PDB file of all heavy atoms in Angstrom:
ATOM      1  N   PRO F 198     291.091  23.874 133.092  1.00  0.00           N
ATOM      2  CA  PRO F 198     292.445  24.199 132.567  1.00  0.00           C
ATOM      3  C   PRO F 198     293.015  23.039 131.735  1.00  0.00           C
ATOM      4  O   PRO F 198     293.719  23.274 130.721  1.00  0.00           O
ATOM      5  CB  PRO F 198     293.302  24.396 133.800  1.00  0.00           C
ATOM      6  CG  PRO F 198     292.352  24.781 134.873  1.00  0.00           C
ATOM      7  CD  PRO F 198     291.068  23.991 134.574  1.00  0.00           C
ATOM      8  N   MET F 199     292.732  21.777 132.116  1.00  0.00           N
ATOM      9  CA  MET F 199     293.214  20.667 131.301  1.00  0.00           C
ATOM     10  C   MET F 199     292.679  20.723 129.866  1.00  0.00           C
ATOM     11  O   MET F 199     293.351  20.546 128.901  1.00  0.00           O
ATOM     12  CB  MET F 199     292.899  19.335 131.910  1.00  0.00           C
ATOM     13  CG  MET F 199     293.539  18.174 131.187  1.00  0.00           C
ATOM     14  SD  MET F 199     293.388  16.600 132.025  1.00  0.00           S
ATOM     15  CE  MET F 199     294.350  16.843 133.468  1.00  0.00           C
ATOM     16  N   GLY F 200     291.362  20.985 129.779  1.00  0.00           N
ATOM     17  CA  GLY F 200     290.758  21.039 128.439  1.00  0.00           C
ATOM     18  C   GLY F 200     291.337  22.246 127.677  1.00  0.00           C
ATOM     19  O   GLY F 200     291.599  22.135 126.486  1.00  0.00           O
ATOM     20  N   PHE F 201     291.585  23.344 128.337  1.00  0.00           N
ATOM     21  CA  PHE F 201     292.108  24.532 127.709  1.00  0.00           C
ATOM     22  C   PHE F 201     293.533  24.248 127.241  1.00  0.00           C
ATOM     23  O   PHE F 201     293.816  24.486 126.055  1.00  0.00           O
ATOM     24  CB  PHE F 201     292.090  25.684 128.713  1.00  0.00           C
ATOM     25  CG  PHE F 201     292.468  26.979 128.043  1.00  0.00           C
ATOM     26  CD1 PHE F 201     291.473  27.853 127.550  1.00  0.00           C
ATOM     27  CD2 PHE F 201     293.799  27.436 128.002  1.00  0.00           C
ATOM     28  CE1 PHE F 201     291.827  29.064 126.981  1.00  0.00           C
ATOM     29  CE2 PHE F 201     294.152  28.663 127.443  1.00  0.00           C
ATOM     30  CZ  PHE F 201     293.194  29.471 126.930  1.00  0.00           C
ATOM     31  N   PHE F 202     294.370  23.753 128.106  1.00  0.00           N
ATOM     32  CA  PHE F 202     295.773  23.546 127.725  1.00  0.00           C
ATOM     33  C   PHE F 202     295.908  22.440 126.648  1.00  0.00           C
ATOM     34  O   PHE F 202     296.756  22.549 125.751  1.00  0.00           O
ATOM     35  CB  PHE F 202     296.613  23.126 128.969  1.00  0.00           C
ATOM     36  CG  PHE F 202     297.100  24.317 129.772  1.00  0.00           C
ATOM     37  CD1 PHE F 202     296.676  24.441 131.095  1.00  0.00           C
ATOM     38  CD2 PHE F 202     297.976  25.244 129.258  1.00  0.00           C
ATOM     39  CE1 PHE F 202     297.153  25.511 131.874  1.00  0.00           C
ATOM     40  CE2 PHE F 202     298.368  26.353 129.981  1.00  0.00           C
ATOM     41  CZ  PHE F 202     297.985  26.456 131.323  1.00  0.00           C
ATOM     42  N   MET F 203     295.091  21.365 126.800  1.00  0.00           N
ATOM     43  CA  MET F 203     295.172  20.297 125.829  1.00  0.00           C
ATOM     44  C   MET F 203     294.720  20.810 124.419  1.00  0.00           C
ATOM     45  O   MET F 203     295.335  20.494 123.440  1.00  0.00           O
ATOM     46  CB  MET F 203     294.264  19.124 126.204  1.00  0.00           C
ATOM     47  CG  MET F 203     294.854  18.313 127.267  1.00  0.00           C
ATOM     48  SD  MET F 203     295.843  16.997 126.569  1.00  0.00           S
ATOM     49  CE  MET F 203     295.494  15.712 127.689  1.00  0.00           C
ATOM     50  N   ALA F 204     293.686  21.611 124.401  1.00  0.00           N
ATOM     51  CA  ALA F 204     293.233  22.174 123.117  1.00  0.00           C
ATOM     52  C   ALA F 204     294.268  23.078 122.525  1.00  0.00           C
ATOM     53  O   ALA F 204     294.535  23.099 121.356  1.00  0.00           O
ATOM     54  CB  ALA F 204     291.923  22.883 123.320  1.00  0.00           C
ATOM     55  N   TRP F 205     294.931  23.871 123.416  1.00  0.00           N
ATOM     56  CA  TRP F 205     295.947  24.782 122.884  1.00  0.00           C
ATOM     57  C   TRP F 205     297.205  23.977 122.441  1.00  0.00           C
ATOM     58  O   TRP F 205     297.756  24.317 121.319  1.00  0.00           O
ATOM     59  CB  TRP F 205     296.435  25.675 124.066  1.00  0.00           C
ATOM     60  CG  TRP F 205     297.254  26.836 123.715  1.00  0.00           C
ATOM     61  CD1 TRP F 205     298.050  26.992 122.668  1.00  0.00           C
ATOM     62  CD2 TRP F 205     297.335  28.039 124.438  1.00  0.00           C
ATOM     63  NE1 TRP F 205     298.695  28.194 122.658  1.00  0.00           N
ATOM     64  CE2 TRP F 205     298.219  28.881 123.794  1.00  0.00           C
ATOM     65  CE3 TRP F 205     296.751  28.544 125.650  1.00  0.00           C
ATOM     66  CZ2 TRP F 205     298.565  30.124 124.215  1.00  0.00           C
ATOM     67  CZ3 TRP F 205     297.064  29.795 126.087  1.00  0.00           C
ATOM     68  CH2 TRP F 205     297.986  30.554 125.342  1.00  0.00           C
ATOM     69  N   HIS F 206     297.592  22.992 123.155  1.00  0.00           N
ATOM     70  CA  HIS F 206     298.795  22.294 122.808  1.00  0.00           C
ATOM     71  C   HIS F 206     298.592  21.339 121.641  1.00  0.00           C
ATOM     72  O   HIS F 206     299.447  21.233 120.733  1.00  0.00           O
ATOM     73  CB  HIS F 206     299.249  21.508 124.029  1.00  0.00           C
ATOM     74  CG  HIS F 206     300.488  20.689 123.782  1.00  0.00           C
ATOM     75  ND1 HIS F 206     301.739  21.231 123.538  1.00  0.00           N
ATOM     76  CD2 HIS F 206     300.680  19.345 123.702  1.00  0.00           C
ATOM     77  CE1 HIS F 206     302.609  20.262 123.319  1.00  0.00           C
ATOM     78  NE2 HIS F 206     302.039  19.149 123.408  1.00  0.00           N
ATOM     79  N   ARG F 207     297.497  20.633 121.562  1.00  0.00           N
ATOM     80  CA  ARG F 207     297.278  19.558 120.606  1.00  0.00           C
ATOM     81  C   ARG F 207     296.607  20.118 119.317  1.00  0.00           C
ATOM     82  O   ARG F 207     296.826  19.558 118.240  1.00  0.00           O
ATOM     83  CB  ARG F 207     296.409  18.420 121.158  1.00  0.00           C
ATOM     84  CG  ARG F 207     297.093  17.744 122.256  1.00  0.00           C
ATOM     85  CD  ARG F 207     296.329  16.589 122.804  1.00  0.00           C
ATOM     86  NE  ARG F 207     296.321  15.500 121.783  1.00  0.00           N
ATOM     87  CZ  ARG F 207     295.319  15.014 121.178  1.00  0.00           C
ATOM     88  NH1 ARG F 207     294.138  15.447 121.428  1.00  0.00           N
ATOM     89  NH2 ARG F 207     295.453  14.050 120.257  1.00  0.00           N
ATOM     90  N   ARG F 208     295.784  21.109 119.476  1.00  0.00           N
ATOM     91  CA  ARG F 208     294.988  21.703 118.348  1.00  0.00           C
ATOM     92  C   ARG F 208     294.261  20.627 117.546  1.00  0.00           C
ATOM     93  O   ARG F 208     294.311  20.547 116.294  1.00  0.00           O
ATOM     94  CB  ARG F 208     295.905  22.526 117.460  1.00  0.00           C
ATOM     95  CG  ARG F 208     296.514  23.678 118.209  1.00  0.00           C
ATOM     96  CD  ARG F 208     297.217  24.671 117.320  1.00  0.00           C
ATOM     97  NE  ARG F 208     297.986  25.558 118.055  1.00  0.00           N
ATOM     98  CZ  ARG F 208     297.602  26.841 118.327  1.00  0.00           C
ATOM     99  NH1 ARG F 208     296.568  27.323 117.841  1.00  0.00           N
ATOM    100  NH2 ARG F 208     298.409  27.615 119.006  1.00  0.00           N
ATOM    101  N   LYS F 209     293.606  19.759 118.256  1.00  0.00           N
ATOM    102  CA  LYS F 209     292.764  18.734 117.665  1.00  0.00           C
ATOM    103  C   LYS F 209     291.301  19.045 117.896  1.00  0.00           C
ATOM    104  O   LYS F 209     291.012  20.134 118.434  1.00  0.00           O
ATOM    105  CB  LYS F 209     293.037  17.331 118.333  1.00  0.00           C
ATOM    106  CG  LYS F 209     294.446  16.855 118.200  1.00  0.00           C
ATOM    107  CD  LYS F 209     294.765  16.407 116.822  1.00  0.00           C
ATOM    108  CE  LYS F 209     296.192  15.872 116.692  1.00  0.00           C
ATOM    109  NZ  LYS F 209     296.554  15.562 115.355  1.00  0.00           N
ATOM    110  N   SER F 210     290.406  18.194 117.499  1.00  0.00           N
ATOM    111  CA  SER F 210     288.978  18.510 117.627  1.00  0.00           C
ATOM    112  C   SER F 210     288.584  18.519 119.095  1.00  0.00           C
ATOM    113  O   SER F 210     289.225  17.961 119.945  1.00  0.00           O
ATOM    114  CB  SER F 210     288.136  17.393 116.958  1.00  0.00           C
ATOM    115  OG  SER F 210     288.200  16.182 117.635  1.00  0.00           O
ATOM    116  N   ILE F 211     287.490  19.221 119.367  1.00  0.00           N
ATOM    117  CA  ILE F 211     286.984  19.290 120.678  1.00  0.00           C
ATOM    118  C   ILE F 211     286.621  17.839 121.234  1.00  0.00           C
ATOM    119  O   ILE F 211     286.985  17.549 122.393  1.00  0.00           O
ATOM    120  CB  ILE F 211     285.704  20.166 120.771  1.00  0.00           C
ATOM    121  CG1 ILE F 211     286.143  21.649 120.526  1.00  0.00           C
ATOM    122  CG2 ILE F 211     285.017  20.044 122.079  1.00  0.00           C
ATOM    123  CD1 ILE F 211     284.940  22.578 120.392  1.00  0.00           C
ATOM    124  N   LEU F 212     286.074  17.000 120.362  1.00  0.00           N
ATOM    125  CA  LEU F 212     285.767  15.664 120.818  1.00  0.00           C
ATOM    126  C   LEU F 212     286.966  14.874 121.202  1.00  0.00           C
ATOM    127  O   LEU F 212     287.017  14.276 122.344  1.00  0.00           O
ATOM    128  CB  LEU F 212     285.010  14.907 119.727  1.00  0.00           C
ATOM    129  CG  LEU F 212     284.619  13.488 119.975  1.00  0.00           C
ATOM    130  CD1 LEU F 212     283.678  13.447 121.231  1.00  0.00           C
ATOM    131  CD2 LEU F 212     284.060  12.853 118.778  1.00  0.00           C
ATOM    132  N   SER F 213     288.027  14.917 120.413  1.00  0.00           N
ATOM    133  CA  SER F 213     289.217  14.075 120.737  1.00  0.00           C
ATOM    134  C   SER F 213     289.883  14.609 122.010  1.00  0.00           C
ATOM    135  O   SER F 213     290.358  13.809 122.816  1.00  0.00           O
ATOM    136  CB  SER F 213     290.201  13.968 119.523  1.00  0.00           C
ATOM    137  OG  SER F 213     290.758  15.228 119.255  1.00  0.00           O
ATOM    138  N   THR F 214     289.996  15.932 122.124  1.00  0.00           N
ATOM    139  CA  THR F 214     290.607  16.519 123.293  1.00  0.00           C
ATOM    140  C   THR F 214     289.766  16.188 124.611  1.00  0.00           C
ATOM    141  O   THR F 214     290.343  15.817 125.614  1.00  0.00           O
ATOM    142  CB  THR F 214     290.723  18.032 123.156  1.00  0.00           C
ATOM    143  OG1 THR F 214     291.457  18.294 121.943  1.00  0.00           O
ATOM    144  CG2 THR F 214     291.393  18.657 124.355  1.00  0.00           C
ATOM    145  N   THR F 215     288.437  16.298 124.486  1.00  0.00           N
ATOM    146  CA  THR F 215     287.640  15.974 125.624  1.00  0.00           C
ATOM    147  C   THR F 215     287.756  14.468 125.965  1.00  0.00           C
ATOM    148  O   THR F 215     287.813  14.117 127.178  1.00  0.00           O
ATOM    149  CB  THR F 215     286.163  16.337 125.320  1.00  0.00           C
ATOM    150  OG1 THR F 215     286.053  17.703 125.007  1.00  0.00           O
ATOM    151  CG2 THR F 215     285.250  16.029 126.490  1.00  0.00           C
ATOM    152  N   LEU F 216     287.866  13.634 124.998  1.00  0.00           N
ATOM    153  CA  LEU F 216     287.955  12.158 125.238  1.00  0.00           C
ATOM    154  C   LEU F 216     289.311  11.864 125.930  1.00  0.00           C
ATOM    155  O   LEU F 216     289.375  10.971 126.818  1.00  0.00           O
ATOM    156  CB  LEU F 216     287.808  11.338 123.921  1.00  0.00           C
ATOM    157  CG  LEU F 216     286.386  11.293 123.417  1.00  0.00           C
ATOM    158  CD1 LEU F 216     286.403  10.550 122.072  1.00  0.00           C
ATOM    159  CD2 LEU F 216     285.474  10.576 124.366  1.00  0.00           C
ATOM    160  N   ILE F 217     290.378  12.505 125.529  1.00  0.00           N
ATOM    161  CA  ILE F 217     291.669  12.363 126.199  1.00  0.00           C
ATOM    162  C   ILE F 217     291.579  12.746 127.676  1.00  0.00           C
ATOM    163  O   ILE F 217     292.055  12.086 128.566  1.00  0.00           O
ATOM    164  CB  ILE F 217     292.807  13.023 125.478  1.00  0.00           C
ATOM    165  CG1 ILE F 217     293.033  12.351 124.135  1.00  0.00           C
ATOM    166  CG2 ILE F 217     294.084  13.141 126.291  1.00  0.00           C
ATOM    167  CD1 ILE F 217     293.989  13.074 123.217  1.00  0.00           C
ATOM    168  N   CYS F 218     290.977  13.925 127.891  1.00  0.00           N
ATOM    169  CA  CYS F 218     290.790  14.410 129.280  1.00  0.00           C
ATOM    170  C   CYS F 218     289.916  13.464 130.086  1.00  0.00           C
ATOM    171  O   CYS F 218     290.143  13.191 131.284  1.00  0.00           O
ATOM    172  CB  CYS F 218     290.209  15.838 129.256  1.00  0.00           C
ATOM    173  SG  CYS F 218     291.288  17.080 128.624  1.00  0.00           S
ATOM    174  N   ALA F 219     288.929  12.864 129.390  1.00  0.00           N
ATOM    175  CA  ALA F 219     288.057  11.837 130.101  1.00  0.00           C
ATOM    176  C   ALA F 219     288.858  10.642 130.456  1.00  0.00           C
ATOM    177  O   ALA F 219     288.651  10.077 131.589  1.00  0.00           O
ATOM    178  CB  ALA F 219     286.851  11.511 129.194  1.00  0.00           C
ATOM    179  N   ALA F 220     289.749  10.235 129.594  1.00  0.00           N
ATOM    180  CA  ALA F 220     290.596   9.049 129.869  1.00  0.00           C
ATOM    181  C   ALA F 220     291.531   9.388 131.066  1.00  0.00           C
ATOM    182  O   ALA F 220     291.728   8.473 131.937  1.00  0.00           O
ATOM    183  CB  ALA F 220     291.401   8.664 128.692  1.00  0.00           C
ATOM    184  N   ILE F 221     292.033  10.576 131.127  1.00  0.00           N
ATOM    185  CA  ILE F 221     292.906  10.957 132.295  1.00  0.00           C
ATOM    186  C   ILE F 221     292.075  10.923 133.543  1.00  0.00           C
ATOM    187  O   ILE F 221     292.546  10.424 134.571  1.00  0.00           O
ATOM    188  CB  ILE F 221     293.541  12.307 132.047  1.00  0.00           C
ATOM    189  CG1 ILE F 221     294.551  12.225 130.891  1.00  0.00           C
ATOM    190  CG2 ILE F 221     294.206  12.814 133.286  1.00  0.00           C
ATOM    191  CD1 ILE F 221     295.044  13.537 130.383  1.00  0.00           C
ATOM    192  N   SER F 222     290.865  11.482 133.488  1.00  0.00           N
ATOM    193  CA  SER F 222     289.977  11.477 134.655  1.00  0.00           C
ATOM    194  C   SER F 222     289.608  10.062 135.029  1.00  0.00           C
ATOM    195  O   SER F 222     289.634   9.722 136.240  1.00  0.00           O
ATOM    196  CB  SER F 222     288.679  12.255 134.375  1.00  0.00           C
ATOM    197  OG  SER F 222     287.828  12.158 135.437  1.00  0.00           O
ATOM    198  N   PHE F 223     289.370   9.181 134.134  1.00  0.00           N
ATOM    199  CA  PHE F 223     289.120   7.789 134.371  1.00  0.00           C
ATOM    200  C   PHE F 223     290.261   7.111 135.056  1.00  0.00           C
ATOM    201  O   PHE F 223     290.065   6.379 136.068  1.00  0.00           O
ATOM    202  CB  PHE F 223     288.734   7.043 133.081  1.00  0.00           C
ATOM    203  CG  PHE F 223     288.403   5.593 133.246  1.00  0.00           C
ATOM    204  CD1 PHE F 223     287.180   5.227 133.754  1.00  0.00           C
ATOM    205  CD2 PHE F 223     289.354   4.627 132.927  1.00  0.00           C
ATOM    206  CE1 PHE F 223     286.903   3.869 133.949  1.00  0.00           C
ATOM    207  CE2 PHE F 223     289.093   3.272 133.100  1.00  0.00           C
ATOM    208  CZ  PHE F 223     287.845   2.863 133.597  1.00  0.00           C
ATOM    209  N   ALA F 224     291.470   7.371 134.589  1.00  0.00           N
ATOM    210  CA  ALA F 224     292.659   6.769 135.210  1.00  0.00           C
ATOM    211  C   ALA F 224     292.783   7.252 136.645  1.00  0.00           C
ATOM    212  O   ALA F 224     293.087   6.473 137.581  1.00  0.00           O
ATOM    213  CB  ALA F 224     293.931   7.123 134.390  1.00  0.00           C
ATOM    214  N   ILE F 225     292.588   8.517 136.881  1.00  0.00           N
ATOM    215  CA  ILE F 225     292.612   9.018 138.280  1.00  0.00           C
ATOM    216  C   ILE F 225     291.607   8.364 139.123  1.00  0.00           C
ATOM    217  O   ILE F 225     291.893   7.921 140.257  1.00  0.00           O
ATOM    218  CB  ILE F 225     292.418  10.597 138.241  1.00  0.00           C
ATOM    219  CG1 ILE F 225     293.664  11.273 137.647  1.00  0.00           C
ATOM    220  CG2 ILE F 225     292.157  11.089 139.643  1.00  0.00           C
ATOM    221  CD1 ILE F 225     293.462  12.758 137.413  1.00  0.00           C
ATOM    222  N   GLU F 226     290.362   8.289 138.655  1.00  0.00           N
ATOM    223  CA  GLU F 226     289.276   7.654 139.447  1.00  0.00           C
ATOM    224  C   GLU F 226     289.589   6.201 139.772  1.00  0.00           C
ATOM    225  O   GLU F 226     289.287   5.753 140.842  1.00  0.00           O
ATOM    226  CB  GLU F 226     287.945   7.834 138.733  1.00  0.00           C
ATOM    227  CG  GLU F 226     287.422   9.225 138.738  1.00  0.00           C
ATOM    228  CD  GLU F 226     287.264   9.839 140.109  1.00  0.00           C
ATOM    229  OE1 GLU F 226     286.763   9.185 141.047  1.00  0.00           O
ATOM    230  OE2 GLU F 226     287.637  11.000 140.297  1.00  0.00           O
ATOM    231  N   VAL F 227     290.124   5.484 138.824  1.00  0.00           N
ATOM    232  CA  VAL F 227     290.378   4.044 139.080  1.00  0.00           C
ATOM    233  C   VAL F 227     291.549   3.894 140.052  1.00  0.00           C
ATOM    234  O   VAL F 227     291.509   3.048 140.871  1.00  0.00           O
ATOM    235  CB  VAL F 227     290.730   3.328 137.750  1.00  0.00           C
ATOM    236  CG1 VAL F 227     291.295   1.962 137.935  1.00  0.00           C
ATOM    237  CG2 VAL F 227     289.484   3.271 136.838  1.00  0.00           C
ATOM    238  N   LEU F 228     292.545   4.752 139.958  1.00  0.00           N
ATOM    239  CA  LEU F 228     293.702   4.686 140.838  1.00  0.00           C
ATOM    240  C   LEU F 228     293.350   5.142 142.281  1.00  0.00           C
ATOM    241  O   LEU F 228     293.957   4.590 143.244  1.00  0.00           O
ATOM    242  CB  LEU F 228     294.840   5.563 140.269  1.00  0.00           C
ATOM    243  CG  LEU F 228     295.590   5.009 139.146  1.00  0.00           C
ATOM    244  CD1 LEU F 228     296.606   6.029 138.597  1.00  0.00           C
ATOM    245  CD2 LEU F 228     296.256   3.670 139.440  1.00  0.00           C
ATOM    246  N   GLN F 229     292.491   6.126 142.450  1.00  0.00           N
ATOM    247  CA  GLN F 229     292.269   6.680 143.765  1.00  0.00           C
ATOM    248  C   GLN F 229     291.996   5.658 144.890  1.00  0.00           C
ATOM    249  O   GLN F 229     292.664   5.782 145.908  1.00  0.00           O
ATOM    250  CB  GLN F 229     291.087   7.720 143.702  1.00  0.00           C
ATOM    251  CG  GLN F 229     291.448   9.057 143.296  1.00  0.00           C
ATOM    252  CD  GLN F 229     290.338  10.023 143.324  1.00  0.00           C
ATOM    253  OE1 GLN F 229     289.155   9.659 143.271  1.00  0.00           O
ATOM    254  NE2 GLN F 229     290.742  11.293 143.413  1.00  0.00           N
ATOM    255  N   PRO F 230     291.087   4.744 144.759  1.00  0.00           N
ATOM    256  CA  PRO F 230     290.876   3.824 145.925  1.00  0.00           C
ATOM    257  C   PRO F 230     292.077   2.855 146.178  1.00  0.00           C
ATOM    258  O   PRO F 230     292.113   2.254 147.183  1.00  0.00           O
ATOM    259  CB  PRO F 230     289.619   3.116 145.549  1.00  0.00           C
ATOM    260  CG  PRO F 230     289.449   3.203 144.115  1.00  0.00           C
ATOM    261  CD  PRO F 230     290.158   4.470 143.688  1.00  0.00           C
ATOM    262  N   TRP F 231     292.957   2.685 145.142  1.00  0.00           N
ATOM    263  CA  TRP F 231     294.022   1.733 145.345  1.00  0.00           C
ATOM    264  C   TRP F 231     295.262   2.321 145.863  1.00  0.00           C
ATOM    265  O   TRP F 231     296.073   1.655 146.555  1.00  0.00           O
ATOM    266  CB  TRP F 231     294.333   1.064 143.990  1.00  0.00           C
ATOM    267  CG  TRP F 231     293.261   0.204 143.478  1.00  0.00           C
ATOM    268  CD1 TRP F 231     292.317   0.552 142.547  1.00  0.00           C
ATOM    269  CD2 TRP F 231     292.882  -1.122 143.951  1.00  0.00           C
ATOM    270  NE1 TRP F 231     291.419  -0.510 142.399  1.00  0.00           N
ATOM    271  CE2 TRP F 231     291.730  -1.519 143.226  1.00  0.00           C
ATOM    272  CE3 TRP F 231     293.462  -1.954 144.891  1.00  0.00           C
ATOM    273  CZ2 TRP F 231     291.177  -2.716 143.389  1.00  0.00           C
ATOM    274  CZ3 TRP F 231     292.827  -3.236 145.049  1.00  0.00           C
ATOM    275  CH2 TRP F 231     291.730  -3.596 144.351  1.00  0.00           C
ATOM    276  N   ILE F 232     295.558   3.617 145.571  1.00  0.00           N
ATOM    277  CA  ILE F 232     296.859   4.204 145.969  1.00  0.00           C
ATOM    278  C   ILE F 232     296.735   5.366 146.959  1.00  0.00           C
ATOM    279  O   ILE F 232     297.677   6.013 147.334  1.00  0.00           O
ATOM    280  CB  ILE F 232     297.717   4.686 144.756  1.00  0.00           C
ATOM    281  CG1 ILE F 232     297.023   5.835 144.034  1.00  0.00           C
ATOM    282  CG2 ILE F 232     297.957   3.508 143.824  1.00  0.00           C
ATOM    283  CD1 ILE F 232     297.987   6.462 142.947  1.00  0.00           C
ATOM    284  N   THR F 233     295.504   5.700 147.372  1.00  0.00           N
ATOM    285  CA  THR F 233     295.262   6.710 148.398  1.00  0.00           C
ATOM    286  C   THR F 233     294.366   6.200 149.494  1.00  0.00           C
ATOM    287  O   THR F 233     293.657   5.229 149.259  1.00  0.00           O
ATOM    288  CB  THR F 233     294.693   8.020 147.767  1.00  0.00           C
ATOM    289  OG1 THR F 233     293.440   7.702 147.181  1.00  0.00           O
ATOM    290  CG2 THR F 233     295.610   8.605 146.735  1.00  0.00           C
ATOM    291  N   ILE F 234     294.343   6.861 150.584  1.00  0.00           N
ATOM    292  CA  ILE F 234     293.537   6.473 151.708  1.00  0.00           C
ATOM    293  C   ILE F 234     292.205   7.174 151.651  1.00  0.00           C
ATOM    294  O   ILE F 234     292.138   8.401 151.377  1.00  0.00           O
ATOM    295  CB  ILE F 234     294.289   6.772 153.038  1.00  0.00           C
ATOM    296  CG1 ILE F 234     295.604   6.089 153.096  1.00  0.00           C
ATOM    297  CG2 ILE F 234     293.421   6.386 154.231  1.00  0.00           C
ATOM    298  CD1 ILE F 234     295.588   4.599 153.175  1.00  0.00           C
ATOM    299  N   ASN F 235     291.193   6.470 151.905  1.00  0.00           N
ATOM    300  CA  ASN F 235     289.813   7.073 152.003  1.00  0.00           C
ATOM    301  C   ASN F 235     289.333   7.718 150.772  1.00  0.00           C
ATOM    302  O   ASN F 235     288.688   8.763 150.813  1.00  0.00           O
ATOM    303  CB  ASN F 235     289.690   8.002 153.243  1.00  0.00           C
ATOM    304  CG  ASN F 235     289.925   7.294 154.553  1.00  0.00           C
ATOM    305  OD1 ASN F 235     289.602   6.125 154.699  1.00  0.00           O
ATOM    306  ND2 ASN F 235     290.589   7.954 155.427  1.00  0.00           N
ATOM    307  N   ARG F 236     289.631   7.211 149.624  1.00  0.00           N
ATOM    308  CA  ARG F 236     289.152   7.727 148.360  1.00  0.00           C
ATOM    309  C   ARG F 236     288.184   6.819 147.674  1.00  0.00           C
ATOM    310  O   ARG F 236     288.319   5.560 147.862  1.00  0.00           O
ATOM    311  CB  ARG F 236     290.316   8.054 147.374  1.00  0.00           C
ATOM    312  CG  ARG F 236     291.277   9.156 147.882  1.00  0.00           C
ATOM    313  CD  ARG F 236     290.584  10.542 147.774  1.00  0.00           C
ATOM    314  NE  ARG F 236     291.441  11.605 148.252  1.00  0.00           N
ATOM    315  CZ  ARG F 236     292.040  12.467 147.454  1.00  0.00           C
ATOM    316  NH1 ARG F 236     291.842  12.413 146.142  1.00  0.00           N
ATOM    317  NH2 ARG F 236     292.834  13.422 147.911  1.00  0.00           N
TER     318      ARG F 236
END
């Protein structure tokens, strides 16, 4: 859904939209072990 909504809202290339979603995923993954338990 993030890829779908981002593509709908931003109307940019598939590559740039996917890279933004990858950056969001990266931020989540980096934060998980620091701000949540057992991640």
Side-chain angles (χ1 to χ4, degrees):
M199 185 173 294
F201 188 91
F202 278 118
M203 284 270 216
W205 192 335
H206 179 68
R207 296 185 71 244
R208 297 191 193 255
K209 300 287 183 187
S210 72
I211 291 174
L212 178 63
S213 68
T214 303
T215 303
L216 288 175
I217 289 171
C218 293
I221 292 168
S222 176
F223 180 77
I225 289 170
E226 289 303 316
V227 168
L228 287 172
Q229 277 183 336
W231 294 101
I232 68 170
T233 59
I234 303 293
N235 298 325
R236 294 288 180 108

